[in-house]
Amino acid sequence: MQIIGIDIGTTTISGAVLEYENEKTVKLLEAKTIENGGFMPTANEWEKIQDAGAIVKKAEKLLDDLLDKYPQTERIGLTGQMHGIVYIDQTGTCVSPLYTWQDGRGSLCEKGQCSLVQEIKEKCDLEAASGYGLVTHIYNLKHGLIPERAVGFCTIMDYFGMCLTGRKKPLVHVSNAAGFGFFDGRNMKFETEKLSKMGVKETWLPEVCTGIEKLGLYRNRQVTTAIGDNQASFLGAAGKEENTLLVNMGTGGQISILSDQYFAEKGIEARPFLDGKYLLVGSSLCGGKSYALLEQFFRRVVKAVTGEDSSLYPVMEQFAKTGKEQSNRISEDRKLKIRTTFDGTRTDPKSSGSIRGLTSDNFTPEAFTYGILEGMGDELYQMYRTIKNGTGIQIKNLIGSGNGVRKNPVFCEMLEELFTFTKLKNDSFHLEMSAYKEEAAAGAAISSTLCS
Protein backbone atom coordinates (compact mmCIF):
# COMPACT_ATOMS: atom_id res chain seq x y z
CA MET A 1 0.00 0.00 0.00
CA GLN A 2 0.98 3.64 -0.37
CA ILE A 3 1.54 5.59 2.84
CA ILE A 4 2.52 9.18 3.63
CA GLY A 5 4.52 10.58 6.54
CA ILE A 6 4.65 14.24 7.56
CA ASP A 7 7.48 15.61 9.71
CA ILE A 8 6.99 19.08 11.24
CA GLY A 9 10.56 20.10 12.07
CA THR A 10 11.88 23.29 13.63
CA THR A 11 13.16 24.79 10.37
CA THR A 12 11.51 22.61 7.72
CA ILE A 13 8.38 20.54 7.10
CA SER A 14 8.87 17.32 5.16
CA GLY A 15 6.66 14.75 3.53
CA ALA A 16 7.53 11.24 2.31
CA VAL A 17 5.47 8.87 0.19
CA LEU A 18 6.33 5.18 0.49
CA GLU A 19 5.23 2.00 -1.27
CA TYR A 20 4.99 -0.41 1.66
CA GLU A 21 4.71 -4.19 1.43
CA ASN A 22 6.35 -5.25 4.69
CA GLU A 23 9.17 -4.13 7.01
CA LYS A 24 11.82 -5.38 4.59
CA THR A 25 10.14 -4.27 1.37
CA VAL A 26 9.70 -0.51 1.36
CA LYS A 27 10.24 1.85 -1.56
CA LEU A 28 10.46 5.63 -1.42
CA LEU A 29 8.27 7.16 -4.12
CA GLU A 30 8.84 10.83 -3.30
CA ALA A 31 10.15 13.11 -0.58
CA LYS A 32 9.48 16.83 -0.41
CA THR A 33 10.67 19.48 2.03
CA ILE A 34 9.51 23.06 2.50
CA GLU A 35 10.63 25.85 4.82
CA ASN A 36 8.86 26.07 8.16
CA GLY A 37 9.43 29.81 8.60
CA GLY A 38 7.24 29.83 11.69
CA PHE A 39 9.45 31.70 14.17
CA MET A 40 7.78 34.75 15.66
CA PRO A 41 9.60 37.94 16.69
CA THR A 42 9.84 38.47 20.43
CA ALA A 43 11.40 41.01 22.78
CA ASN A 44 12.99 38.21 24.80
CA GLU A 45 16.20 36.64 23.52
CA TRP A 46 15.50 33.45 25.50
CA GLU A 47 12.01 33.02 24.06
CA LYS A 48 11.76 30.71 21.03
CA ILE A 49 8.19 30.56 19.75
CA GLN A 50 6.56 29.76 16.42
CA ASP A 51 3.19 30.48 14.79
CA ALA A 52 1.34 27.18 15.27
CA GLY A 53 -1.55 28.10 12.96
CA ALA A 54 0.76 29.04 10.10
CA ILE A 55 2.73 25.81 10.53
CA VAL A 56 -0.42 23.70 10.37
CA LYS A 57 -1.55 25.45 7.19
CA LYS A 58 1.81 24.75 5.52
CA ALA A 59 1.82 21.12 6.64
CA GLU A 60 -1.74 20.61 5.40
CA LYS A 61 -0.90 22.16 2.02
CA LEU A 62 2.10 19.82 1.68
CA LEU A 63 -0.05 16.81 2.62
CA ASP A 64 -2.80 17.82 0.17
CA ASP A 65 -0.28 18.16 -2.66
CA LEU A 66 1.03 14.65 -1.98
CA LEU A 67 -2.46 13.17 -1.70
CA ASP A 68 -3.46 14.76 -5.00
CA LYS A 69 -0.41 13.22 -6.65
CA TYR A 70 -0.77 9.83 -4.92
CA PRO A 71 -4.53 9.21 -4.62
CA GLN A 72 -4.00 5.54 -3.71
CA THR A 73 -2.57 6.53 -0.33
CA GLU A 74 -4.22 4.60 2.49
CA ARG A 75 -2.55 5.85 5.67
CA ILE A 76 -0.96 9.02 7.05
CA GLY A 77 1.63 8.97 9.85
CA LEU A 78 2.88 12.03 11.73
CA THR A 79 5.98 13.19 13.57
CA GLY A 80 7.76 16.43 14.40
CA GLN A 81 9.83 18.44 16.82
CA MET A 82 9.66 16.98 20.31
CA HIS A 83 9.40 18.64 23.73
CA GLY A 84 7.60 21.82 22.62
CA ILE A 85 3.92 22.53 23.38
CA VAL A 86 0.89 24.41 22.13
CA TYR A 87 -2.10 25.21 24.35
CA ILE A 88 -5.58 24.22 23.21
CA ASP A 89 -9.09 25.15 24.35
CA GLN A 90 -12.20 23.01 24.89
CA THR A 91 -12.99 23.01 21.16
CA GLY A 92 -9.55 21.65 20.27
CA THR A 93 -8.40 25.00 18.89
CA CYS A 94 -4.87 26.26 19.45
CA VAL A 95 -4.82 29.40 21.62
CA SER A 96 -1.07 30.00 21.90
CA PRO A 97 2.11 30.00 19.87
CA LEU A 98 4.24 26.87 19.76
CA TYR A 99 6.76 27.06 22.60
CA THR A 100 9.63 25.16 20.96
CA TRP A 101 12.24 22.83 22.41
CA GLN A 102 14.76 25.68 22.07
CA ASP A 103 12.90 27.93 24.50
CA GLY A 104 15.11 29.07 27.36
CA ARG A 105 12.66 30.26 30.02
CA GLY A 106 13.35 27.27 32.24
CA SER A 107 17.00 28.30 32.64
CA LEU A 108 16.34 31.94 33.58
CA CYS A 109 17.57 33.13 36.96
CA GLU A 110 15.31 35.89 38.27
CA LYS A 111 15.84 38.26 41.20
CA GLY A 112 18.80 36.29 42.48
CA GLN A 113 16.81 33.06 42.67
CA CYS A 114 17.78 29.76 41.06
CA SER A 115 16.39 28.80 37.66
CA LEU A 116 13.23 26.74 37.29
CA VAL A 117 15.18 23.64 36.19
CA GLN A 118 17.30 23.97 39.35
CA GLU A 119 14.16 24.38 41.47
CA ILE A 120 12.69 21.23 39.89
CA LYS A 121 15.90 19.35 40.65
CA GLU A 122 15.83 20.45 44.30
CA LYS A 123 12.10 19.92 44.93
CA CYS A 124 11.49 16.84 42.83
CA ASP A 125 14.93 15.23 42.42
CA LEU A 126 14.28 15.21 38.69
CA GLU A 127 16.37 16.25 35.68
CA ALA A 128 14.32 18.38 33.29
CA ALA A 129 15.77 20.65 30.63
CA SER A 130 14.52 24.05 29.59
CA GLY A 131 12.37 23.62 26.49
CA TYR A 132 10.68 20.49 27.83
CA GLY A 133 6.93 21.06 27.63
CA LEU A 134 6.13 20.74 31.32
CA VAL A 135 9.03 23.01 32.29
CA THR A 136 7.60 25.61 29.92
CA HIS A 137 4.12 25.05 31.36
CA ILE A 138 5.28 25.43 34.97
CA TYR A 139 7.09 28.66 34.11
CA ASN A 140 4.01 30.00 32.34
CA LEU A 141 1.85 28.95 35.29
CA LYS A 142 4.11 30.79 37.74
CA HIS A 143 4.16 33.95 35.62
CA GLY A 144 0.52 34.08 34.55
CA LEU A 145 1.34 33.48 30.89
CA ILE A 146 -1.15 30.70 30.13
CA PRO A 147 -3.92 31.83 27.73
CA GLU A 148 -7.25 32.30 29.51
CA ARG A 149 -9.13 29.77 27.35
CA ALA A 150 -6.46 27.05 27.54
CA VAL A 151 -7.49 23.72 29.09
CA GLY A 152 -4.61 21.49 27.95
CA PHE A 153 -1.57 21.17 25.72
CA CYS A 154 0.10 18.85 23.23
CA THR A 155 2.92 18.83 20.65
CA ILE A 156 2.59 20.59 17.30
CA MET A 157 2.25 17.26 15.45
CA ASP A 158 -0.44 16.09 17.86
CA TYR A 159 -2.29 19.34 17.17
CA PHE A 160 -1.86 18.81 13.42
CA GLY A 161 -3.46 15.38 13.84
CA MET A 162 -6.37 17.00 15.67
CA CYS A 163 -6.83 19.54 12.88
CA LEU A 164 -6.80 16.82 10.21
CA THR A 165 -9.34 14.60 11.95
CA GLY A 166 -11.51 17.09 13.83
CA ARG A 167 -10.61 15.74 17.29
CA LYS A 168 -11.28 18.06 20.22
CA LYS A 169 -8.82 16.36 22.60
CA PRO A 170 -5.27 15.25 21.88
CA LEU A 171 -4.11 11.64 22.04
CA VAL A 172 -0.36 11.63 22.68
CA HIS A 173 1.95 8.67 22.08
CA VAL A 174 4.36 7.88 24.93
CA SER A 175 7.30 8.87 22.73
CA ASN A 176 6.00 12.44 22.77
CA ALA A 177 4.62 12.39 26.31
CA ALA A 178 8.08 11.49 27.63
CA GLY A 179 9.48 14.52 25.80
CA PHE A 180 7.44 16.84 28.04
CA GLY A 181 9.45 15.78 31.10
CA PHE A 182 8.04 14.54 34.44
CA PHE A 183 7.41 11.17 32.79
CA ASP A 184 8.06 7.75 34.32
CA GLY A 185 9.49 5.80 31.40
CA ARG A 186 9.50 2.51 33.31
CA ASN A 187 5.78 2.60 34.01
CA MET A 188 4.79 4.79 31.04
CA LYS A 189 2.93 7.47 32.97
CA PHE A 190 3.34 11.06 34.14
CA GLU A 191 4.82 11.64 37.59
CA THR A 192 1.76 13.36 38.96
CA GLU A 193 3.00 13.59 42.57
CA LYS A 194 6.08 15.55 41.49
CA LEU A 195 3.98 17.72 39.20
CA SER A 196 1.69 18.47 42.14
CA LYS A 197 4.72 19.77 44.06
CA MET A 198 5.23 22.26 41.21
CA GLY A 199 1.57 23.30 41.20
CA VAL A 200 0.47 21.40 38.10
CA LYS A 201 -2.96 19.75 38.21
CA GLU A 202 -3.49 16.41 36.51
CA THR A 203 -6.30 17.91 34.39
CA TRP A 204 -3.68 19.70 32.26
CA LEU A 205 -2.14 16.43 31.09
CA PRO A 206 -3.11 14.88 27.74
CA GLU A 207 -4.36 11.32 27.27
CA VAL A 208 -1.43 8.99 26.56
CA CYS A 209 -1.28 5.78 24.50
CA THR A 210 1.53 3.22 24.33
CA GLY A 211 0.74 1.87 20.85
CA ILE A 212 0.03 3.48 17.49
CA GLU A 213 -3.67 4.35 17.51
CA LYS A 214 -6.19 5.65 14.99
CA LEU A 215 -6.92 9.37 15.30
CA GLY A 216 -9.56 9.54 12.59
CA LEU A 217 -9.88 10.17 8.86
CA TYR A 218 -8.57 12.89 6.59
CA ARG A 219 -9.86 12.81 3.01
CA ASN A 220 -10.91 9.21 3.71
CA ARG A 221 -7.39 8.14 4.74
CA GLN A 222 -6.55 6.80 8.20
CA VAL A 223 -4.45 9.21 10.30
CA THR A 224 -2.49 7.68 13.20
CA THR A 225 -0.97 9.06 16.40
CA ALA A 226 2.19 11.11 16.00
CA ILE A 227 5.48 9.74 17.33
CA GLY A 228 8.58 11.66 18.37
CA ASP A 229 10.96 12.69 15.60
CA ASN A 230 13.84 10.81 17.22
CA GLN A 231 11.83 7.59 17.25
CA ALA A 232 10.56 8.24 13.72
CA SER A 233 14.10 8.88 12.45
CA PHE A 234 15.33 5.63 13.96
CA LEU A 235 12.39 3.72 12.49
CA GLY A 236 13.04 5.28 9.08
CA ALA A 237 16.80 4.72 9.15
CA ALA A 238 17.27 1.48 11.09
CA GLY A 239 13.81 -0.04 11.42
CA LYS A 240 13.68 -2.15 14.59
CA GLU A 241 17.24 -3.45 14.29
CA GLU A 242 19.11 -4.06 17.54
CA ASN A 243 22.83 -3.35 18.04
CA THR A 244 22.56 -0.54 15.49
CA LEU A 245 23.76 2.93 16.41
CA LEU A 246 22.16 5.84 14.57
CA VAL A 247 24.29 8.99 14.48
CA ASN A 248 22.34 12.06 13.45
CA MET A 249 23.94 15.44 12.93
CA GLY A 250 21.76 18.45 12.25
CA THR A 251 21.69 21.67 14.27
CA GLY A 252 22.25 19.46 17.28
CA GLY A 253 23.80 16.01 17.37
CA GLN A 254 22.34 12.75 18.57
CA ILE A 255 23.09 9.07 19.01
CA SER A 256 20.32 6.48 19.40
CA ILE A 257 20.41 2.74 20.00
CA LEU A 258 17.57 0.29 20.60
CA SER A 259 17.36 -1.45 23.97
CA ASP A 260 15.11 -3.94 25.77
CA GLN A 261 16.18 -2.47 29.09
CA TYR A 262 15.51 0.91 30.64
CA PHE A 263 18.77 2.78 31.21
CA ALA A 264 19.05 6.44 32.15
CA GLU A 265 22.28 8.08 33.21
CA LYS A 266 23.57 11.65 33.29
CA GLY A 267 23.28 12.88 29.71
CA ILE A 268 21.51 9.70 28.53
CA GLU A 269 17.73 9.35 28.16
CA ALA A 270 15.66 6.19 27.86
CA ARG A 271 12.96 7.25 25.42
CA PRO A 272 9.90 5.04 24.85
CA PHE A 273 9.99 3.49 21.39
CA LEU A 274 7.62 0.80 20.07
CA ASP A 275 6.70 -2.70 21.27
CA GLY A 276 7.71 -1.84 24.85
CA LYS A 277 11.32 -1.08 23.87
CA TYR A 278 13.42 2.03 24.43
CA LEU A 279 15.75 4.23 22.48
CA LEU A 280 18.78 5.09 24.57
CA VAL A 281 19.66 8.59 23.43
CA GLY A 282 22.47 11.06 23.94
CA SER A 283 22.03 14.56 22.53
CA SER A 284 24.44 17.43 21.96
CA LEU A 285 22.85 20.88 21.83
CA CYS A 286 25.47 22.34 19.54
CA GLY A 287 26.33 19.62 17.02
CA GLY A 288 26.28 20.74 13.42
CA LYS A 289 25.78 24.28 14.67
CA SER A 290 29.42 24.22 15.81
CA TYR A 291 30.57 23.75 12.24
CA ALA A 292 28.15 26.45 11.07
CA LEU A 293 29.55 28.87 13.66
CA LEU A 294 33.07 28.33 12.32
CA GLU A 295 31.85 28.91 8.75
CA GLN A 296 30.23 32.18 9.86
CA PHE A 297 33.48 33.21 11.54
CA PHE A 298 35.51 32.58 8.38
CA ARG A 299 32.86 34.27 6.24
CA ARG A 300 32.94 37.48 8.31
CA VAL A 301 36.70 37.68 7.95
CA VAL A 302 36.54 37.16 4.19
CA LYS A 303 33.76 39.73 3.82
CA ALA A 304 35.69 42.30 5.86
CA VAL A 305 38.78 41.84 3.68
CA THR A 306 37.25 41.31 0.22
CA GLY A 307 33.64 42.43 0.46
CA GLU A 308 32.50 39.00 -0.79
CA ASP A 309 29.88 37.05 1.11
CA SER A 310 29.42 33.46 -0.08
CA SER A 311 29.42 29.96 1.40
CA LEU A 312 32.81 28.76 2.60
CA TYR A 313 31.82 25.14 3.24
CA PRO A 314 33.69 23.89 0.13
CA VAL A 315 36.86 25.61 1.40
CA MET A 316 36.31 24.17 4.87
CA GLU A 317 36.05 20.68 3.39
CA GLN A 318 39.58 21.11 2.06
CA PHE A 319 40.68 22.56 5.40
CA ALA A 320 39.28 19.49 7.14
CA LYS A 321 41.12 17.08 4.83
CA THR A 322 44.41 18.89 5.33
CA GLY A 323 43.76 19.22 9.07
CA LYS A 324 43.26 15.46 9.32
CA GLU A 325 46.53 14.77 7.49
CA GLN A 326 48.37 17.17 9.79
CA SER A 327 46.73 15.68 12.90
CA ASN A 328 47.82 12.18 11.90
CA ARG A 329 51.46 13.31 11.76
CA ILE A 330 51.74 14.76 15.26
CA SER A 331 51.60 13.25 18.73
CA GLU A 332 48.38 13.25 20.73
CA ASP A 333 49.67 15.78 23.27
CA ARG A 334 50.38 18.32 20.49
CA LYS A 335 46.93 18.19 18.92
CA LEU A 336 44.36 20.95 19.14
CA LYS A 337 41.40 19.91 21.31
CA ILE A 338 38.11 21.76 20.92
CA ARG A 339 35.13 21.11 23.16
CA THR A 340 32.06 22.04 21.10
CA THR A 341 29.58 22.56 23.94
CA PHE A 342 29.09 26.20 22.92
CA ASP A 343 25.42 26.18 23.93
CA GLY A 344 25.93 24.12 27.07
CA THR A 345 24.64 20.57 27.52
CA ARG A 346 21.32 19.03 28.52
CA THR A 347 22.64 18.44 32.02
CA ASP A 348 24.59 21.70 32.34
CA PRO A 349 23.08 24.58 30.33
CA LYS A 350 25.68 27.01 31.69
CA SER A 351 28.73 25.08 30.48
CA SER A 352 30.67 26.45 27.55
CA GLY A 353 33.05 25.30 24.85
CA SER A 354 36.82 25.36 25.16
CA ILE A 355 40.05 25.19 23.17
CA ARG A 356 43.09 23.36 24.57
CA GLY A 357 46.54 22.54 23.28
CA LEU A 358 46.91 25.67 21.16
CA THR A 359 50.45 26.03 19.80
CA SER A 360 52.14 28.04 17.08
CA ASP A 361 52.03 24.91 14.91
CA ASN A 362 48.30 24.27 15.13
CA PHE A 363 47.04 27.87 15.16
CA THR A 364 45.74 27.33 11.62
CA PRO A 365 42.31 27.29 9.91
CA GLU A 366 42.96 23.66 8.94
CA ALA A 367 43.54 22.58 12.55
CA PHE A 368 40.54 24.56 13.79
CA THR A 369 38.23 23.04 11.17
CA TYR A 370 39.34 19.50 11.94
CA GLY A 371 39.29 20.23 15.68
CA ILE A 372 35.66 21.32 15.51
CA LEU A 373 34.72 18.08 13.74
CA GLU A 374 36.63 16.06 16.32
CA GLY A 375 34.83 17.87 19.12
CA MET A 376 31.43 17.17 17.54
CA GLY A 377 32.24 13.48 17.15
CA ASP A 378 33.88 13.00 20.53
CA GLU A 379 30.91 14.43 22.44
CA LEU A 380 28.67 11.77 20.88
CA TYR A 381 31.27 9.03 21.31
CA GLN A 382 31.54 9.71 25.05
CA MET A 383 27.76 9.38 25.30
CA TYR A 384 27.90 5.97 23.65
CA ARG A 385 30.63 4.88 26.10
CA THR A 386 28.27 5.77 28.95
CA ILE A 387 25.56 3.58 27.36
CA LYS A 388 27.96 0.71 26.70
CA ASN A 389 29.39 0.78 30.22
CA GLY A 390 25.90 0.79 31.72
CA THR A 391 24.22 -1.81 29.50
CA GLY A 392 26.89 -3.81 27.71
CA ILE A 393 25.21 -3.11 24.36
CA GLN A 394 27.72 -3.68 21.58
CA ILE A 395 27.44 -1.93 18.23
CA LYS A 396 27.34 -4.11 15.12
CA ASN A 397 26.09 -1.52 12.64
CA LEU A 398 26.65 2.22 12.33
CA ILE A 399 24.16 4.37 10.40
CA GLY A 400 24.49 8.09 9.69
CA SER A 401 21.78 10.62 9.01
CA GLY A 402 21.36 14.38 8.76
CA ASN A 403 23.14 16.88 6.54
CA GLY A 404 25.99 17.22 9.02
CA VAL A 405 26.94 13.65 8.16
CA ARG A 406 25.78 13.42 4.54
CA LYS A 407 27.66 16.52 3.39
CA ASN A 408 30.88 15.99 5.32
CA PRO A 409 33.02 13.03 4.21
CA VAL A 410 35.81 13.85 6.67
CA PHE A 411 33.34 13.71 9.55
CA CYS A 412 32.09 10.33 8.26
CA GLU A 413 35.63 8.96 8.29
CA MET A 414 36.12 10.32 11.80
CA LEU A 415 32.98 8.58 13.08
CA GLU A 416 34.11 5.29 11.54
CA GLU A 417 37.48 5.60 13.31
CA LEU A 418 35.97 6.68 16.63
CA PHE A 419 33.47 3.85 16.90
CA THR A 420 35.85 1.20 15.56
CA PHE A 421 37.47 1.35 19.00
CA THR A 422 34.27 -0.12 20.45
CA LYS A 423 34.37 -3.29 18.34
CA LEU A 424 35.38 -6.56 19.91
CA LYS A 425 37.42 -7.48 16.85
CA ASN A 426 39.84 -5.33 14.89
CA ASP A 427 37.48 -5.01 11.93
CA SER A 428 36.86 -1.37 11.04
CA PHE A 429 33.38 0.12 10.93
CA HIS A 430 31.73 1.20 7.74
CA LEU A 431 29.33 4.09 8.22
CA GLU A 432 26.22 3.36 6.21
CA MET A 433 24.05 6.30 5.26
CA SER A 434 20.32 6.11 5.91
CA ALA A 435 18.37 4.94 2.87
CA TYR A 436 16.05 7.95 3.15
CA LYS A 437 17.18 11.55 3.31
CA GLU A 438 13.98 12.45 5.16
CA GLU A 439 14.25 9.70 7.76
CA ALA A 440 11.72 11.14 10.18
CA ALA A 441 9.00 11.58 7.54
CA ALA A 442 9.68 8.06 6.24
CA GLY A 443 9.58 6.67 9.78
CA ALA A 444 6.30 8.47 10.44
CA ALA A 445 4.81 6.83 7.35
CA ILE A 446 6.03 3.41 8.47
CA SER A 447 4.60 3.97 11.96
CA SER A 448 1.13 4.25 10.42
CA THR A 449 1.34 0.59 9.35
CA LEU A 450 1.71 -0.50 12.99
CA CYS A 451 -1.90 0.40 13.73
CA SER A 452 -4.31 -2.51 13.27
Side-chain angles (χ1 to χ4, degrees), residues 87 136-146 198-200 204:
Y87 287 103
T136 299
H137 177 63
I138 293 167
Y139 181 95
N140 289 346
L141 196 63
K142 285 175 173 285
H143 292 78
L145 298 176
I146 298 175
M198 301 306 299
V200 178
W204 280 105

Side-chain angles (χ1 to χ4, degrees), residues 191-309:
E191 300 194 83
T192 52
E193 289 186 8
K194 292 182 179 180
L195 283 170
S196 181
K197 290 182 181 179
M198 301 306 299
V200 178
K201 295 180 180 179
E202 203 170 334
T203 53
W204 280 105
L205 303 174
E207 181 184 353
V208 177
C209 61
T210 56
I212 304 299
E213 303 286 344
K214 297 175 182 178
L215 289 180
L217 299 176
Y218 179 70
R219 292 177 56 174
N220 293 319
R221 279 84 169 189
Q222 186 64 59
V223 181
T224 55
T225 45
I227 61 173
D229 58 359
N230 179 207
Q231 289 85 347
S233 293
F234 193 90
L235 190 60
K240 299 179 184 178
E241 292 294 324
E242 298 183 351
N243 303 105
T244 296
L245 187 77
L246 175 65
V247 180
N248 177 271
M249 188 59 71
T251 303
Q254 198 171 65
I255 58 164
S256 309
I257 192 164
L258 199 58
S259 173
D260 289 322
Q261 58 181 303
Y262 181 95
F263 172 77
E265 188 59 74
K266 188 174 182 179
I268 304 299
E269 295 179 76
R271 295 180 176 176
F273 186 59
L274 302 165
D275 303 325
K277 296 187 177 184
Y278 299 92
L279 278 187
L280 304 186
V281 180
S283 301
S284 60
L285 297 180
C286 198
K289 183 181 176 182
S290 305
Y291 202 61
L293 287 171
L294 185 62
E295 192 271 346
Q296 292 167 20
F297 177 86
F298 287 151
R299 187 185 288 204
R300 287 180 65 182
V301 174
V302 170
K303 185 178 180 180
V305 175
T306 68
E308 295 183 10
D309 187 14

Side-chain angles (χ1 to χ4, degrees), residues 4 17-18 79 83 123 139-140 151 160 255-256 273 278 291 303 314 322 325 351 446:
I4 290 178
V17 186
L18 305 181
T79 188
H83 309 301
K123 285 186 176 180
Y139 181 95
N140 289 346
V151 297
F160 182 47
I255 58 164
S256 309
F273 186 59
Y278 299 92
Y291 202 61
K303 185 178 180 180
T322 304
E325 294 170 359
S351 68
I446 294 169

Side-chain angles (χ1 to χ4, degrees), residues 330-335 337 357 359:
I330 60 177
S331 60
E332 192 67 27
D333 62 336
R334 299 293 292 174
K335 292 181 181 180
K337 298 292 183 183
T359 69

Side-chain angles (χ1 to χ4, degrees), residues 22-207:
N22 54 53
E23 287 185 13
K24 301 294 184 182
T25 310
V26 185
K27 180 183 179 182
L28 177 67
L29 300 180
E30 183 175 347
K32 184 177 181 180
T33 297
I34 61 175
E35 291 298 316
N36 182 317
F39 275 105
M40 301 170 66
T42 171
N44 303 310
E45 184 179 342
W46 47 264
E47 190 172 39
K48 304 297 182 184
I49 56 176
Q50 292 183 324
D51 186 333
I55 291 171
V56 165
K57 285 181 181 179
K58 283 192 173 185
E60 188 169 350
K61 174 65 166 59
L62 174 60
L63 175 57
D64 282 338
D65 289 345
L66 294 175
L67 285 173
D68 290 342
K69 189 172 180 180
Y70 299 93
Q72 293 181 312
T73 297
E74 296 180 31
R75 298 194 177 196
I76 301 166
L78 307 175
T79 188
Q81 50 178 300
M82 299 167 66
H83 309 301
I85 57 170
V86 295
Y87 287 103
I88 52 176
D89 65 13
Q90 287 185 332
T91 68
T93 303
C94 176
V95 291
S96 77
L98 164 62
Y99 301 89
T100 74
W101 62 276
Q102 296 174 322
D103 194 87
R105 69 193 64 208
S107 296
L108 294 177
C109 295
E110 299 172 318
K111 299 178 182 179
Q113 296 180 342
C114 65
S115 69
L116 178 56
V117 292
Q118 290 171 316
E119 182 184 346
I120 290 170
K121 174 66 176 174
E122 291 173 5
K123 285 186 176 180
C124 305
D125 190 27
L126 186 146
E127 299 285 351
S130 186
Y132 280 24
L134 276 162
V135 175
T136 299
H137 177 63
I138 293 167
Y139 181 95
N140 289 346
L141 196 63
K142 285 175 173 285
H143 292 78
L145 298 176
I146 298 175
E148 187 176 341
R149 290 177 16 230
V151 297
F153 58 78
C154 60
T155 70
I156 185 64
M157 49 278 198
D158 292 316
Y159 178 60
F160 182 47
M162 293 170 66
C163 293
L164 292 177
T165 60
R167 290 179 66 98
K168 290 182 172 56
K169 293 184 178 181
L171 178 61
V172 178
H173 187 262
V174 285
S175 59
N176 280 320
F180 293 143
F182 287 87
F183 195 82
D184 179 355
R186 294 181 189 273
N187 298 303
M188 301 298 182
K189 63 181 183 179
F190 286 108
E191 300 194 83
T192 52
E193 289 186 8
K194 292 182 179 180
L195 283 170
S196 181
K197 290 182 181 179
M198 301 306 299
V200 178
K201 295 180 180 179
E202 203 170 334
T203 53
W204 280 105
L205 303 174
E207 181 184 353

